[in-house]
């Protein structure tokens, strides 16, 4: 029966290694990575939220600075102390005088904020005024979108509006800059009602995007991209990739735009982190977008290092386990190999184990056991083999004269009664019989030779009993080449003739049938003689089963030949083999042999003989 893995020393060491080494290490590693990941994620979210908040506040400061400067229009006064509203509503002024005052007011606005690159003003009569720091720039005649009063909805006349970034060449000539535009209506403040409902003009303040680029450089963002966008109008005030302005692309996408609802926050959308913060006083959002790999780059780099450390630790533990396991199991393997050698008959094996533990005690016990076993074999086993050989030889010597005497007696009686040439044939058969019985001394013989000896024996028996007996043999050609102990069938056949057929009136037959079963050979010897009752059969079987070699009971029911055959089978073939007797009065007797299947003579000598 095969041992289970857990029943071996190696299996137990493996279980101990897995449950006490590898699994705890993996659990600790998973716990560490889980906590480390949470910590890194929290730190990342906090840092990038602070960066985006800082960016939003600075952009808000820039817009607030420009918005405060745009409010300077309400503070402007002419040399006569008139407000800009009075100038715009004065119908007696010429266009040139009005333009001079509006330009002065625009210069005043630009002087209040360093972020404003140019301004434009459109009054309620449709007159357009513009002022540029760079005198080479000139307003385009087809820049209607950036020079109209209706650019701010009527329901939000007083609100500040931020237009998306565009090329400045769409507004003026002689420029290749990008700008975003702040738009406010200039309300009529001459009365409270008009201040809320009547606009005298619209002021446009252009801010160069380079101002935002300088802010981004100052932040020093290494990963991710910053944007300023309006989710309602889906335009961009700032993008680090200026192609977004030219192509009208939406780099953040509609899904991100839809999440920009609160004043600030963050979301993870499609493996990307989005941090957003609303710019104060506007509808614009500062957005920081970066991938999960970029956001967790510090974690991934540390995770790689931790994985390397973990793998190194596992390899180290495996090496320790192998070394420890080899040292623990080496004595066991030595004992196992020594036991196999002893099993193969090498009784001079000795174990040398110097481990100073239980295995050394086992080795000493094993050596003593082998020594004692060797002594036992020499004293007992060899002696029993010699005794067995002597018993076999004694049985042979006992059966051979017995057989010879009976045969000679038959020939003698026949010669006296017949007095003819039949004696010659009988003597020839006798010679063959003597040659077979007294010839080469061997424990086994081919079944074919044994059957041929029976046929020659029956030649003599037919003459003796005047052809009243016959012999029938059923055997395959293949089975005739099997080996059986010598002189195995003749004593039983002789017994069948003398005690079965001789007492019968009329003719009789001895039938022999040979059949190979799955794992044994069956030979059946049957006669149709007078038979025996149950009591005689029982006494004969008990005599056969008597452990004393060659013993025959005093009442003469069992012949010496049959007892010898039975004992020889036990000695040569094994205790599980032999034959059984069945008999019925007036019907006949059946003797069934149960023998091993011997296909080669060497199998006989190497077989287990009990």
């Amino acid at each position: 029966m095969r041992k289970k893995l857990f029943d071996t020393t190696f299996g137990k060491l493996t279980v101990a290694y897995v449950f006490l080494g590898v699994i705890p290490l993996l659990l600790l590693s998973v716990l560490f990575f889980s906590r480390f990941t949470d910590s890194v994620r929290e730190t990342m979210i906090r840092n990038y939220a602070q960066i985006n908040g800082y960016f939003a506040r600075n952009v808000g400061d820039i817009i607030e600075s420009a918005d405060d400067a745009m409010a300077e229009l309400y503070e402007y006064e002419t040399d006569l102390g008139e407000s800009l509203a009075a100038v715009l509503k004065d119908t007696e002024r010429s266009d040139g005088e009005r333009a001079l005052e509006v330009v002065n007011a625009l210069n005043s606005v630009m002087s209040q904020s360093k972020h404003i690159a140019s301004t434009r003003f459109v009054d309620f009569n449709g007159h357009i005024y513009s002022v540029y720091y760079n005198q080479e720039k000139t307003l385009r005649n087809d820049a209607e979108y950036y020079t109209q009063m209706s650019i701010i909805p009527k329901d939000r006349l007083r609100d500040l509006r931020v237009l998306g970034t565009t090329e400045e060449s769409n507004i003026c000539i002689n420029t290749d800059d990008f700008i975003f535009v702040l738009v406010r209506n200039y309300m009529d403040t001459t009365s409270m009602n008009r201040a809320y409902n009547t606009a005298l003009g619209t002021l446009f303040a252009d801010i160069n995007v380079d101002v935002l680029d300088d802010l981004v450089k100052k932040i020093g963002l290494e990963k991710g991209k910053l944007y300023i966008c309006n989710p309602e109008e889906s335009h961009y005030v700032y993008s680090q990739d200026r192609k977004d302005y030219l192509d009208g692309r939406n780099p953040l996408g509609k899904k991100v735009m839809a999440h920009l609802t609160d004043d600030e926050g963050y979301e993870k959308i499609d493996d990307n982190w989005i941090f957003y913060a609303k710019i104060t006083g506007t509808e614009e959002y500062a957005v920081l977008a970066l991938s999960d790999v970029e956001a967790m780059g510090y974690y991934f780099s540390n995770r790689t290092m931790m994985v390397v450390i973990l793998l190194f630790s596992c390899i180290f533990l495996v090496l320790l386990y192998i070394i420890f396991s080899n040292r623990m199991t080496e004595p066991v393997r030595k004992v196992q190999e020594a036991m196999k050698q002893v099993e193969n008959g090498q009784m001079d094996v000795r174990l040398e184990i110097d481990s100073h533990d239980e295995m050394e005690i086992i080795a000493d016990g094993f050596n003593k056991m082998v020594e004692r076993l060797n002594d036992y074999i020499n004293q007992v086993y060899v002696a029993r083999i010699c005794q067995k050989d002597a018993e076999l030889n004694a049985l042979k010597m006992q059966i051979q004269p017995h057989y010879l005497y009976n045969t000679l007696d038959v020939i003698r009686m026949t010669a006296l009664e017949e007095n003819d040439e039949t004696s010659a044939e009988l003597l020839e058969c006798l010679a063959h019989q003597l040659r077979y019985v007294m010839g080469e001394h061997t424990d086994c013989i081919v079944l074919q030779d044994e059957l041929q000896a029976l046929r020659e024996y029956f030649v003599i028996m037919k003459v003796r009993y005047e052809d009243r007996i016959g012999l029938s043999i059923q055997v395959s050609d293949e089975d005739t080449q099997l080996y059986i102990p010598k002189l195995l069938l003749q004593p039983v056949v002789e017994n069948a003739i003398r005690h079965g057929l001789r007492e019968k009136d009329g003719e009789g037959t001895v039938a022999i049938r040979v059949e190979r079963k799955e794992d044994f050979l069956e030979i059946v010897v049957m006669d149709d003689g007078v038979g025996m009752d149950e009591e005689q059969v029982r006494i004969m079987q008990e005599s056969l089963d008597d452990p004393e070699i060659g013993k025959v009971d005093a009442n003469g029911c069992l012949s010496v030949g049959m007892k010898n055959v039975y004992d020889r089978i036990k000695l040569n073939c094994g205790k599980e083999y032999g034959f059984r007797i069945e008999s019925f009065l007036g019907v006949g007797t059946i003797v069934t042999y149960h023998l091993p299947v011997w296909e080669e003579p060497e199998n006989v000598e190497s077989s287990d003989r009990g």
Side-chain angles (χ1 to χ4, degrees):
M1 184 176 181
R2 297 181 60 184
K3 290 185 177 180
K4 296 181 179 178
L5 177 62
F6 295 154
D7 294 337
T8 64
T9 302
F10 178 78
K12 294 177 181 178
L13 291 176
T14 302
V15 172
Y17 166 72
V18 171
F19 283 96
L20 300 181
V22 176
I23 291 180
L25 178 62
L26 293 177
L27 291 177
L28 290 175
S29 300
V30 171
L31 179 62
F32 170 78
F33 277 123
S34 177
R35 293 191 176 183
F36 181 69
T37 302
D38 294 340
S39 176
V40 170
R41 184 179 291 108
E42 292 176 1
T43 303
M44 179 272 296
I45 292 173
R46 183 170 58 253
N47 290 341
Y48 284 109
Q50 290 177 352
I51 291 173
N52 189 63
Y54 175 80
F55 178 64
R57 288 192 298 273
N58 280 271
V59 173
D61 292 342
I62 292 172
I63 294 176
E64 184 180 5
S65 172
D67 191 30
D68 291 342
M70 295 171 71
E72 187 66 21
L73 289 180
Y74 293 101
E75 304 295 331
Y76 177 77
E77 291 183 354
T78 64
D79 294 337
L80 300 176
E82 293 178 311
S83 65
L84 182 60
V87 172
L88 294 174
K89 295 171 65 175
D90 188 357
T91 57
E92 295 181 358
R93 288 179 182 270
S94 65
D95 292 341
E97 292 175 339
R98 185 181 297 106
L100 179 61
E101 295 297 338
V102 173
V103 169
N104 288 336
L106 294 179
N107 281 320
S108 177
V109 169
M110 292 180 61
S111 65
Q112 298 297 316
S113 176
K114 62 181 180 179
H115 304 301
I116 299 177
S118 59
T119 58
R120 291 176 303 284
F121 185 80
V122 183
D123 65 13
F124 61 94
N125 290 319
H127 297 121
I128 302 173
Y129 311 92
S130 61
V131 176
Y132 294 91
Y133 272 126
N134 187 346
Q135 300 298 320
E136 295 180 356
K137 296 179 180 180
T138 303
L139 183 67
R140 293 173 61 99
N141 294 328
D142 57 352
E144 292 88 356
Y145 181 74
Y146 299 96
T147 56
Q148 59 178 330
M149 285 191 61
S150 61
I151 200 166
I152 297 178
K154 293 182 179 180
D155 58 340
R156 302 172 63 181
L157 290 177
R158 295 171 54 84
D159 292 345
L160 174 68
R161 184 180 180 187
V162 182
L163 303 182
T165 296
T166 185
E167 295 177 278
E168 193 176 18
S169 59
N170 292 327
I171 302 174
C172 62
I173 61 176
N174 298 326
T175 180
D176 57 359
D177 295 333
F178 284 83
I179 61 172
F180 66 94
V181 184
L182 304 183
V183 184
R184 265 198 182 277
N185 283 331
Y186 178 69
M187 307 303 293
D188 186 359
T189 57
T190 56
S191 68
M192 185 65 67
N193 184 49
R194 290 177 180 178
Y196 285 96
N197 299 302
T198 304
L200 296 179
T202 301
L203 176 62
F204 297 82
D206 302 333
I207 300 177
N208 199 311
V209 174
D210 290 341
V211 175
L212 300 180
D213 284 334
D214 293 340
L215 177 59
V216 172
K217 291 178 181 178
K218 181 179 178 181
I219 293 174
L221 185 66
E222 297 180 356
K223 298 176 181 179
K225 292 184 178 180
L226 286 167
Y227 301 91
I228 300 175
C229 63
N230 188 318
E232 292 185 1
E233 300 183 14
S234 298
H235 68 238
Y236 285 80
V237 173
Y238 178 74
S239 172
Q240 289 180 264
D241 187 356
R242 295 195 174 185
K243 292 182 179 180
D244 295 337
Y245 308 141
L246 298 174
D247 300 340
R249 293 183 296 182
N250 187 0
L252 292 176
K254 294 182 179 180
K255 184 181 293 187
V256 174
M257 290 288 197
H259 282 82
L260 305 182
T261 55
D262 298 332
D263 289 343
E264 62 179 354
Y266 63 89
E267 296 284 347
K268 187 177 181 182
I269 304 173
D270 298 334
D271 294 329
N272 291 297
W273 287 93
I274 305 297
F275 299 87
Y276 59 90
K278 192 172 185 180
I279 299 174
T280 305
T282 69
E283 298 298 325
E284 314 301 314
Y285 281 84
V287 179
L288 170 59
L290 68 165
S291 67
D292 190 44
V293 175
E294 292 176 326
M296 302 294 287
Y298 172 74
Y299 163 71
F300 289 139
S301 62
N302 281 274
R303 184 179 67 176
T304 302
M305 181 182 67
M306 290 296 103
V307 170
V308 171
I309 294 175
L310 177 61
L311 290 177
F312 176 79
S313 300
C314 288
I315 293 173
F316 181 72
L317 283 176
V318 169
L319 292 177
L320 285 181
Y321 165 72
I322 293 175
I323 295 173
F324 177 75
S325 176
N326 285 335
R327 292 189 62 183
M328 290 293 295
T329 58
E330 183 179 2
V332 178
R333 288 195 296 268
K334 288 183 178 180
V335 173
Q336 185 178 11
E337 292 174 359
M339 292 177 65
K340 288 183 179 179
Q341 292 176 350
V342 171
E343 184 179 356
N344 293 331
Q346 300 180 18
M347 305 306 296
D348 58 345
V349 177
R350 295 296 181 270
L351 281 174
E352 295 182 3
I353 297 177
D354 188 18
S355 58
H356 303 290
D357 56 13
E358 294 85 350
M359 292 307 301
E360 184 174 352
I361 298 174
I362 293 175
D364 292 339
F366 177 83
N367 293 335
K368 293 178 181 178
M369 179 192 69
V370 173
E371 292 177 359
R372 293 175 181 175
L373 181 60
N374 194 28
D375 293 341
Y376 176 79
I377 291 174
N378 292 332
Q379 295 174 6
V380 179
Y381 184 70
V382 174
R384 289 187 177 179
I385 292 177
C386 294
Q387 180 183 359
K388 173 185 171 184
D389 291 340
E391 291 174 349
L392 288 173
N393 290 330
L395 290 173
K396 290 179 182 178
M397 295 302 294
Q398 185 180 13
I399 194 171
Q400 289 171 0
H402 176 75
Y403 170 72
L404 180 60
Y405 295 155
N406 289 337
T407 304
L408 289 176
D409 181 62
V410 171
I411 295 175
R412 182 181 62 82
M413 293 179 64
T414 302
L416 291 175
E417 293 177 3
E418 299 293 336
N419 195 23
D420 56 21
E421 294 181 359
T422 304
S423 299
E425 182 180 7
L426 296 178
L427 289 173
E428 183 180 3
C429 291
L430 175 62
H432 292 166
Q433 293 284 290
L434 291 175
R435 192 177 299 114
Y436 176 71
V437 174
M438 308 296 292
E440 182 181 357
H441 295 285
T442 180
D443 288 335
C444 62
I445 196 70
V446 178
L447 177 60
Q448 183 176 359
D449 294 344
E450 181 80 3
L451 296 176
Q452 182 60 31
L454 286 177
R455 291 187 183 96
E456 293 174 347
Y457 175 73
F458 256 80
V459 171
I460 300 173
M461 292 298 104
K462 284 183 178 181
V463 174
R464 170 68 182 86
Y465 293 104
E466 300 177 350
D467 290 331
R468 288 194 302 109
I469 62 173
L471 176 65
S472 173
I473 299 177
Q474 295 181 10
V475 60
S476 65
D477 293 340
E478 181 181 3
D479 290 341
T480 59
Q481 302 305 311
L482 297 177
Y483 285 81
I484 64 171
K486 190 175 181 180
L487 292 173
L488 192 70
L489 302 178
Q490 191 276 337
V492 175
V493 172
E494 178 186 354
N495 205 61
I497 295 173
R498 295 185 61 185
H499 301 287
L501 299 182
R502 187 174 65 176
E503 303 296 331
K504 178 181 179 181
D505 295 333
E507 297 180 353
T509 302
V510 175
I512 300 175
R513 177 174 55 83
V514 180
E515 184 177 359
R516 190 188 311 197
K517 300 295 184 180
E518 183 177 354
D519 56 354
F520 65 92
L521 181 66
E522 182 181 86
I523 301 178
V524 180
V525 179
M526 299 179 291
D527 68 76
D528 53 359
V530 297
M532 296 180 290
D533 58 26
E534 293 182 2
E535 181 64 19
Q536 288 179 303
V537 173
R538 184 186 63 78
I539 294 174
M540 290 182 67
Q541 194 65 51
E542 289 179 354
S543 299
L544 290 173
D545 293 333
D546 194 303
E548 185 175 347
I549 301 297
K551 180 182 178 181
V552 181
D553 62 325
N555 56 21
C557 292
L558 183 66
S559 68
V560 173
M562 291 190 65
K563 175 59 174 172
N564 286 341
V565 169
Y566 190 83
D567 291 340
R568 285 176 58 213
I569 293 175
K570 295 293 183 181
L571 290 171
N572 278 289
C573 304
K575 295 181 179 180
E576 66 271 25
Y577 299 104
F579 62 79
R580 68 178 185 275
I581 301 173
E582 299 176 273
S583 186
F584 305 93
L585 282 175
V587 177
T589 302
I590 302 174
V591 178
T592 304
Y593 289 83
H594 185 83
L595 302 172
V597 179
W598 288 343
E599 296 183 349
E600 298 291 338
E602 56 266 24
N603 290 347
V604 177
E605 298 178 2
S606 63
S607 65
D608 180 11
R609 300 182 179 181

